[in-house]
Amino acid sequence: MRHGMKRSLLALTLAAASLAAQAATLKATLIVPDDDPRLERSRAERAYLGHPTGPAEAGVKLALDEGRFELEAVGAAVTLDTKEAADLAAAQAAAVAAEKAGAAVLLADLPADWLLAVTDAVKIPVLNLSEASDRLRAADCRARLFHVVPSERQRADALAQTLVQRKWSKLLLLVGPSAADQQRAAVVQAAIKRYGLQVAAAKPFKLSADPRERNLANPLLLTQGAQYDAVWVVDSDGEFARALPYQTVLPRPVVGDAGLVAVAWHAQFERFGAPQVSRRFHKANARPMTAHDWTAWLAGKALVTLAAAQPKGPAAAWQQALGKAQLDGSKGVNMSFRAWDGQLRQTLLLTDGQGVISQAPIEGILHPVNVLDTLGADAGEKLCKVAR
């Protein structure tokens, strides 16, 4: 009788311990494109500033490895499952399956339309690691969608602030032919207007071997006929932009997608513990840490923060905890998600590819609440209509 009671008590204890362990474990799923064209070898080798050169999983795993002692101290854990998707429908199916399997948070390194389909298919929060389109923070915003990657508007505002600081106020704007270039050019124009800069001339460019289109492909021809302090180039592909510096008619700096570029991270950033982060990443992955890797790494840190907080209740509890999280990204400030559009407040780094030239927001820029909100759409603009 006594032995039977002991066995029963032991079984109950083990069951309770098992349930406690399950309650303290945050399950997360990372969804990425199958055979991602951004990571095609010849493209990755070119290492365009702001473009990925390796899988997002590497950054997330580094953050989880760094956070394991913090999690062990509070009896928590994070598990990560990575799923590849060949198309939008597959990404959506992977998200639904992950939620059914107990995932509390999704991480998505996906194109905009895939990302929206994934977010709409589940009731758990989704962390956007790579899609910078401002429509996801405006007309197509979602209450459960949080953006770790800086928006195009944040990057454009960072450059505009820097141009104001340098007194380079007259700009030659060169815009590529793709739909993405046209959308990003509109964002650039909004940043230029916000900070009182002037477009001296705006011209389209196009990489072409057709002699009839030489005026659209030749930097010397494109940059003549106007007076300007700097050239702002919008080139989502990156091939034209990288050849533009030192090829302009006037000896002027190039900014935008070449020359001076605003990014979330650069491996040569040397403050706030950043060198140690970059070294750990390089040691684990045998390549420099890029902005894409940093956003994935910070998403992993967000998972650690959530797991340590151990929110109780349904998916809404995890979403609420994520909205209140204060994150340290080794950039000298505490970062949090904006209530009005889910965008992560953050400083941006201005780099020429060799090193970090400066940070934005620049010194002297003011804001009534948080100076980080001078980068990207502010609360008063009310571009996102959903309630969080």
Coordinates of all heavy atoms in Angstrom, one line a residue, residues 196-251:
G196 N 13.4 68.9 -45.5 CA 13.6 70.1 -46.2 C 14.7 70.1 -47.2 O 15.3 71.2 -47.5
L197 N 15.0 69.0 -47.8 CA 16.0 68.9 -48.9 C 15.4 69.2 -50.2 O 14.1 69.3 -50.3 CB 16.6 67.5 -48.9 CG 17.3 67.1 -47.6 CD1 17.7 65.6 -47.6 CD2 18.6 67.9 -47.4
Q198 N 16.2 69.4 -51.2 CA 15.7 69.8 -52.6 C 16.2 68.9 -53.6 O 17.4 68.5 -53.7 CB 16.1 71.2 -52.9 CG 15.7 71.7 -54.3 CD 16.3 73.1 -54.6 OE1 16.9 73.7 -53.7 NE2 16.2 73.5 -55.8
V199 N 15.3 68.4 -54.5 CA 15.7 67.6 -55.7 C 15.9 68.5 -56.8 O 15.0 69.1 -57.4 CB 14.5 66.6 -56.0 CG1 15.0 65.8 -57.3 CG2 14.3 65.6 -54.9
A200 N 17.2 68.7 -57.2 CA 17.6 69.5 -58.3 C 17.2 68.9 -59.6 O 16.8 69.6 -60.6 CB 19.1 69.7 -58.3
A201 N 17.2 67.6 -59.7 CA 16.8 66.8 -60.9 C 16.6 65.4 -60.5 O 17.2 64.9 -59.6 CB 17.8 67.0 -62.0
A202 N 15.6 64.8 -61.2 CA 15.3 63.3 -61.0 C 15.4 62.7 -62.4 O 14.8 63.1 -63.3 CB 14.0 63.1 -60.4
K203 N 16.2 61.6 -62.5 CA 16.4 60.9 -63.8 C 16.3 59.4 -63.6 O 16.7 58.8 -62.6 CB 17.7 61.2 -64.4 CG 18.0 62.7 -64.6 CD 19.3 63.0 -65.2 CE 19.6 64.4 -65.5 NZ 20.9 64.6 -66.1
P204 N 15.7 58.7 -64.6 CA 15.7 57.2 -64.6 C 17.0 56.7 -65.1 O 17.6 57.3 -65.9 CB 14.5 56.9 -65.5 CG 14.5 58.0 -66.5 CD 14.9 59.3 -65.8
F205 N 17.3 55.5 -64.6 CA 18.5 54.8 -65.2 C 18.1 53.4 -65.6 O 17.1 52.9 -65.1 CB 19.7 54.8 -64.3 CG 19.5 53.9 -63.0 CD1 19.7 52.5 -63.1 CD2 19.2 54.4 -61.8 CE1 19.5 51.7 -62.0 CE2 19.0 53.6 -60.7 CZ 19.2 52.3 -60.8
K206 N 18.8 52.8 -66.4 CA 18.5 51.4 -66.8 C 19.8 50.8 -67.4 O 20.5 51.3 -68.3 CB 17.5 51.4 -67.9 CG 17.1 50.0 -68.5 CD 16.0 50.1 -69.6 CE 15.7 48.8 -70.1 NZ 14.7 48.9 -71.2
L207 N 20.2 49.6 -66.8 CA 21.3 48.9 -67.3 C 20.9 48.3 -68.6 O 20.0 47.5 -68.7 CB 21.7 47.8 -66.3 CG 22.6 48.3 -65.1 CD1 22.8 47.1 -64.2 CD2 23.9 48.9 -65.6
S208 N 21.6 48.7 -69.7 CA 21.3 48.2 -71.0 C 22.5 48.2 -71.9 O 23.3 49.1 -71.8 CB 20.2 49.1 -71.6 OG 19.9 48.7 -72.9
A209 N 22.6 47.2 -72.8 CA 23.6 47.2 -73.8 C 23.1 47.8 -75.2 O 23.9 47.9 -76.1 CB 24.1 45.7 -74.1
D210 N 21.9 48.2 -75.2 CA 21.3 48.8 -76.4 C 21.9 50.2 -76.6 O 21.7 51.1 -75.7 CB 19.8 48.9 -76.2 CG 19.1 49.3 -77.6 OD1 19.7 50.0 -78.4 OD2 17.9 48.9 -77.7
P211 N 22.6 50.5 -77.7 CA 23.1 51.9 -77.9 C 22.1 53.0 -77.9 O 22.4 54.1 -77.6 CB 23.8 51.8 -79.2 CG 23.2 50.6 -79.9 CD 22.9 49.6 -78.8
R212 N 20.8 52.6 -78.2 CA 19.8 53.6 -78.2 C 19.4 54.1 -76.7 O 18.8 55.1 -76.5 CB 18.5 53.1 -78.9 CG 18.7 52.9 -80.4 CD 17.6 52.1 -81.0 NE 17.4 50.8 -80.4 CZ 16.5 49.9 -80.7 NH1 15.6 50.2 -81.6 NH2 16.5 48.7 -80.1
E213 N 19.9 53.3 -75.8 CA 19.5 53.6 -74.4 C 20.8 54.0 -73.6 O 20.8 53.9 -72.4 CB 18.9 52.4 -73.7 CG 17.5 52.0 -74.3 CD 16.9 50.8 -73.6 OE1 17.6 49.9 -73.3 OE2 15.7 50.9 -73.4
R214 N 21.8 54.4 -74.3 CA 23.0 54.8 -73.6 C 22.9 55.9 -72.6 O 23.6 56.0 -71.6 CB 24.2 55.1 -74.6 CG 24.0 56.4 -75.4 CD 25.0 56.5 -76.5 NE 25.0 57.8 -77.1 CZ 25.8 58.8 -76.8 NH1 26.7 58.6 -75.9 NH2 25.7 60.0 -77.4
N215 N 21.9 56.8 -72.9 CA 21.7 57.9 -71.9 C 21.1 57.4 -70.6 O 21.2 58.1 -69.6 CB 20.7 58.9 -72.5 CG 21.3 59.7 -73.6 OD1 22.5 59.7 -73.9 ND2 20.5 60.5 -74.3
L216 N 20.6 56.2 -70.6 CA 20.0 55.7 -69.3 C 21.0 54.8 -68.6 O 20.7 54.4 -67.4 CB 18.8 54.8 -69.7 CG 17.6 55.5 -70.3 CD1 16.5 54.6 -70.7 CD2 17.1 56.6 -69.4
A217 N 22.1 54.5 -69.2 CA 23.0 53.5 -68.6 C 24.4 54.1 -68.3 O 25.2 53.5 -67.5 CB 23.2 52.3 -69.5
N218 N 24.7 55.3 -68.8 CA 26.0 55.9 -68.7 C 26.0 56.9 -67.5 O 25.3 57.9 -67.6 CB 26.4 56.6 -70.0 CG 27.8 57.1 -70.0 OD1 28.3 57.6 -69.0 ND2 28.5 56.8 -71.1
P219 N 26.8 56.6 -66.4 CA 26.8 57.6 -65.3 C 27.2 59.0 -65.7 O 26.6 59.9 -65.1 CB 27.8 56.9 -64.4 CG 27.8 55.5 -64.7 CD 27.6 55.4 -66.2
L220 N 28.1 59.1 -66.6 CA 28.6 60.5 -67.0 C 27.5 61.3 -67.7 O 27.3 62.5 -67.4 CB 29.8 60.4 -67.9 CG 31.1 59.9 -67.2 CD1 32.2 59.8 -68.2 CD2 31.5 60.9 -66.1
L221 N 26.7 60.6 -68.5 CA 25.6 61.2 -69.2 C 24.4 61.5 -68.2 O 23.8 62.5 -68.3 CB 25.1 60.4 -70.3 CG 26.1 60.2 -71.5 CD1 25.5 59.2 -72.5 CD2 26.4 61.5 -72.1
L222 N 24.2 60.6 -67.3 CA 23.1 60.7 -66.3 C 23.3 61.9 -65.3 O 22.4 62.5 -64.9 CB 22.9 59.4 -65.6 CG 22.1 58.3 -66.3 CD1 22.3 57.0 -65.5 CD2 20.7 58.7 -66.4
T223 N 24.6 62.1 -65.0 CA 24.9 63.1 -63.9 C 25.3 64.5 -64.5 O 25.8 65.3 -63.7 CB 26.0 62.5 -63.0 OG1 27.2 62.3 -63.8 CG2 25.5 61.3 -62.3
Q224 N 25.1 64.7 -65.8 CA 25.4 66.0 -66.3 C 24.1 66.9 -66.4 O 23.0 66.4 -66.2 CB 26.0 65.9 -67.7 CG 25.1 65.4 -68.7 CD 25.8 65.3 -70.1 OE1 27.0 65.6 -70.3 NE2 25.0 64.8 -71.1
G225 N 24.3 68.2 -66.5 CA 23.2 69.1 -66.8 C 22.5 69.6 -65.6 O 21.3 70.1 -65.7
A226 N 23.0 69.4 -64.4 CA 22.4 69.9 -63.1 C 23.4 70.2 -62.1 O 24.6 69.7 -62.2 CB 21.4 68.8 -62.6
Q227 N 23.1 71.1 -61.2 CA 24.0 71.4 -60.1 C 23.4 70.7 -58.8 O 22.2 70.9 -58.5 CB 24.0 72.9 -59.8 CG 24.7 73.6 -61.0 CD 26.2 73.3 -61.1 OE1 26.9 73.1 -60.0 NE2 26.7 73.1 -62.3
Y228 N 24.3 69.9 -58.1 CA 23.8 69.2 -57.0 C 24.9 69.0 -56.0 O 26.1 69.1 -56.3 CB 23.2 67.8 -57.4 CG 24.1 67.1 -58.4 CD1 25.2 66.3 -58.0 CD2 23.9 67.3 -59.8 CE1 26.0 65.6 -58.9 CE2 24.7 66.6 -60.7 CZ 25.8 65.8 -60.3 OH 26.6 65.2 -61.2
D229 N 24.5 68.8 -54.7 CA 25.5 68.5 -53.6 C 25.8 67.0 -53.4 O 26.8 66.7 -52.9 CB 25.0 69.1 -52.3 CG 24.8 70.6 -52.4 OD1 25.6 71.3 -53.0 OD2 23.8 71.1 -51.9
A230 N 24.8 66.2 -53.8 CA 25.0 64.7 -53.7 C 24.1 64.0 -54.7 O 23.1 64.6 -55.1 CB 24.6 64.3 -52.2
V231 N 24.4 62.8 -55.0 CA 23.6 62.0 -55.9 C 22.9 60.9 -55.0 O 23.6 60.1 -54.3 CB 24.4 61.3 -57.0 CG1 23.6 60.4 -57.9 CG2 25.1 62.4 -57.8
W232 N 21.6 60.8 -55.0 CA 20.9 59.7 -54.3 C 20.4 58.7 -55.3 O 19.6 59.0 -56.2 CB 19.7 60.3 -53.5 CG 19.1 59.4 -52.5 CD1 18.9 58.1 -52.6 CD2 18.6 59.8 -51.2 NE1 18.3 57.6 -51.5 CE2 18.1 58.6 -50.6 CE3 18.5 61.0 -50.6 CZ2 17.5 58.7 -49.4 CZ3 17.9 61.0 -49.3 CH2 17.4 59.9 -48.7
V233 N 20.9 57.5 -55.2 CA 20.5 56.5 -56.2 C 19.6 55.4 -55.5 O 19.9 54.9 -54.4 CB 21.8 55.8 -56.8 CG1 22.7 55.2 -55.7 CG2 21.4 54.7 -57.8
V234 N 18.6 55.1 -56.2 CA 17.6 54.1 -55.8 C 17.7 52.9 -56.7 O 17.3 53.0 -57.9 CB 16.2 54.6 -55.8 CG1 15.2 53.5 -55.3 CG2 16.1 55.9 -54.9
D235 N 18.3 51.8 -56.3 CA 18.6 50.7 -57.1 C 18.5 49.4 -56.3 O 19.4 48.9 -55.6 CB 20.0 50.8 -57.7 CG 20.4 49.6 -58.6 OD1 19.5 48.8 -59.0 OD2 21.6 49.4 -58.9
S236 N 17.3 48.8 -56.3 CA 17.0 47.6 -55.5 C 17.9 46.5 -55.8 O 18.3 45.7 -55.0 CB 15.5 47.2 -55.6 OG 14.7 48.3 -55.2
D237 N 18.2 46.3 -57.1 CA 19.1 45.2 -57.6 C 20.5 45.5 -57.1 O 21.2 44.5 -56.7 CB 19.0 45.1 -59.1 CG 19.9 44.0 -59.6 OD1 19.6 42.9 -59.4 OD2 20.9 44.4 -60.2
G238 N 21.0 46.7 -57.2 CA 22.3 47.0 -56.7 C 23.4 47.0 -57.7 O 24.5 47.6 -57.4
E239 N 23.2 46.5 -58.9 CA 24.3 46.4 -59.9 C 24.7 47.7 -60.4 O 25.9 48.0 -60.6 CB 23.8 45.4 -61.0 CG 24.9 45.1 -62.0 CD 26.0 44.2 -61.4 OE1 25.7 43.5 -60.4 OE2 27.1 44.2 -61.9
F240 N 23.8 48.6 -60.8 CA 24.1 49.9 -61.3 C 24.7 50.8 -60.2 O 25.7 51.4 -60.4 CB 22.9 50.5 -61.9 CG 23.1 52.0 -62.3 CD1 23.6 52.3 -63.6 CD2 22.8 53.0 -61.5 CE1 23.8 53.6 -64.0 CE2 23.0 54.4 -61.8 CZ 23.5 54.6 -63.1
A241 N 24.1 50.7 -59.1 CA 24.5 51.7 -58.0 C 26.0 51.4 -57.6 O 26.7 52.4 -57.3 CB 23.6 51.5 -56.8
R242 N 26.4 50.2 -57.5 CA 27.8 50.0 -57.0 C 28.9 50.5 -57.9 O 30.0 50.8 -57.5 CB 28.0 48.5 -56.8 CG 28.2 47.6 -58.0 CD 28.4 46.2 -57.7 NE 29.4 46.0 -56.6 CZ 29.6 44.9 -55.9 NH1 28.9 43.9 -56.1 NH2 30.6 44.8 -55.0
A243 N 28.5 50.8 -59.2 CA 29.5 51.4 -60.1 C 29.4 52.9 -60.2 O 30.2 53.5 -61.0 CB 29.3 50.7 -61.5
L244 N 28.5 53.5 -59.5 CA 28.3 54.9 -59.6 C 29.3 55.8 -58.9 O 29.7 56.8 -59.5 CB 26.8 55.2 -59.1 CG 26.3 56.7 -59.4 CD1 26.3 57.0 -60.9 CD2 25.0 56.8 -58.8
P245 N 29.7 55.5 -57.7 CA 30.7 56.4 -57.0 C 31.9 56.6 -57.9 O 32.4 55.7 -58.5 CB 31.0 55.7 -55.7 CG 29.8 54.8 -55.4 CD 29.3 54.4 -56.8
Y246 N 32.4 57.9 -57.9 CA 33.6 58.3 -58.6 C 33.3 58.3 -60.1 O 34.3 58.5 -60.9 CB 34.8 57.4 -58.3 CG 35.0 57.4 -56.8 CD1 34.7 56.2 -56.1 CD2 35.5 58.5 -56.1 CE1 34.9 56.1 -54.7 CE2 35.7 58.4 -54.7 CZ 35.4 57.2 -54.0 OH 35.6 57.1 -52.7
Q247 N 32.1 58.1 -60.6 CA 31.8 58.1 -62.0 C 30.9 59.3 -62.4 O 30.4 59.4 -63.5 CB 31.1 56.8 -62.4 CG 32.0 55.6 -62.2 CD 33.1 55.6 -63.2 OE1 33.1 56.1 -64.3 NE2 34.3 55.0 -62.7
T248 N 30.6 60.2 -61.4 CA 29.7 61.3 -61.7 C 30.5 62.5 -62.3 O 31.7 62.6 -62.1 CB 29.1 61.8 -60.4 OG1 30.1 62.2 -59.5 CG2 28.2 60.7 -59.8
V249 N 29.7 63.3 -63.1 CA 30.4 64.5 -63.8 C 30.9 65.4 -62.7 O 32.1 65.9 -62.8 CB 29.4 65.2 -64.7 CG1 29.9 66.5 -65.1 CG2 29.0 64.3 -65.9
L250 N 30.1 65.8 -61.7 CA 30.6 66.6 -60.6 C 31.2 65.7 -59.5 O 30.7 64.6 -59.3 CB 29.5 67.5 -60.1 CG 28.8 68.4 -61.0 CD1 27.7 69.2 -60.3 CD2 29.8 69.4 -61.6
P251 N 32.3 66.2 -58.9 CA 32.9 65.4 -57.8 C 32.0 65.5 -56.6 O 32.3 66.3 -55.7 CB 34.3 66.0 -57.6 CG 34.1 67.5 -58.0 CD 33.1 67.4 -59.2

